[in-house]
């Protein structure tokens, strides 16, 4: 999917990103419980206002996926915030 990112700024202002959240990111946000989803959207907007573009990564993991993460050594617990839809991976995007 093509990323649409525009940076706008007027003299003396911080740059603002106007990239649209991708369909995949929207689907990931929809998997979060409402308060976590709203906080993530708010943080995404605050970062964009400062010129920081965040990619929305993994959110919900079912118990099987979490167990696989533990078995692979990428997680230390089977009781993850991902399983209750309250965790999100955010990555600063550098073009």
């Amino acid at each position: 999917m093509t990323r649409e990112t525009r940076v706008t700024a007027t003299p003396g202002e911080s740059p603002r990103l106007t990239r649209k959240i991708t369909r995949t990111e929207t689907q990931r946000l929809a998997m979060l419980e409402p308060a976590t989803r709203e906080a993530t959207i708010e943080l995404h907007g605050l970062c964009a206002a400062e010129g920081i573009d965040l990619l929305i990564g993994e959110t919900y993991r079912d118990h099987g996926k979490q167990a696989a993460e533990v078995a692979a050594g990428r997680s230390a617990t089977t009781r993850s915030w991902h399983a209750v839809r309250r965790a999100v991976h955010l990555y600063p995007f550098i073009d």
Side-chain angles (χ1 to χ4, degrees), residues 58 61 63-78:
E58 188 172 20
R61 291 184 196 150
H63 294 288
K65 171 74 172 167
Q66 185 63 31
E69 293 290 309
V70 171
R74 291 186 294 267
S75 182
T77 182
T78 56

Side-chain angles (χ1 to χ4, degrees), residues 1-5 17 19-26 28-29 40 43-45 47-48 52-59 88-95:
M1 177 172 276
T2 303
R3 296 182 53 80
E4 294 181 33
T5 305
L17 297 173
R19 176 182 72 86
K20 294 180 182 178
I21 293 176
T22 66
R23 182 176 8 181
T24 300
E25 290 174 303
T26 300
R28 290 173 179 158
L29 284 169
T40 302
L43 178 61
H44 192 276
C47 288
I52 302 166
D53 189 9
L54 294 178
L55 295 176
I56 299 167
E58 188 172 20
T59 55
V88 60
H89 292 194
L90 298 172
Y91 304 94
F93 177 75
I94 301 169
D95 195 6

Side-chain angles (χ1 to χ4, degrees), residues 27-40 58-63 66 79-89:
Q27 291 167 341
R28 290 173 179 158
L29 284 169
M31 294 175 153
L32 294 170
E33 62 88 28
T36 303
R37 180 175 46 252
E38 293 305 315
T40 302
E58 188 172 20
T59 55
Y60 171 69
R61 291 184 196 150
D62 62 26
H63 294 288
Q66 185 63 31
R79 297 180 62 197
S80 170
W81 286 108
H82 288 283
V84 293
R85 302 173 187 264
R86 296 196 70 190
V88 60
H89 292 194

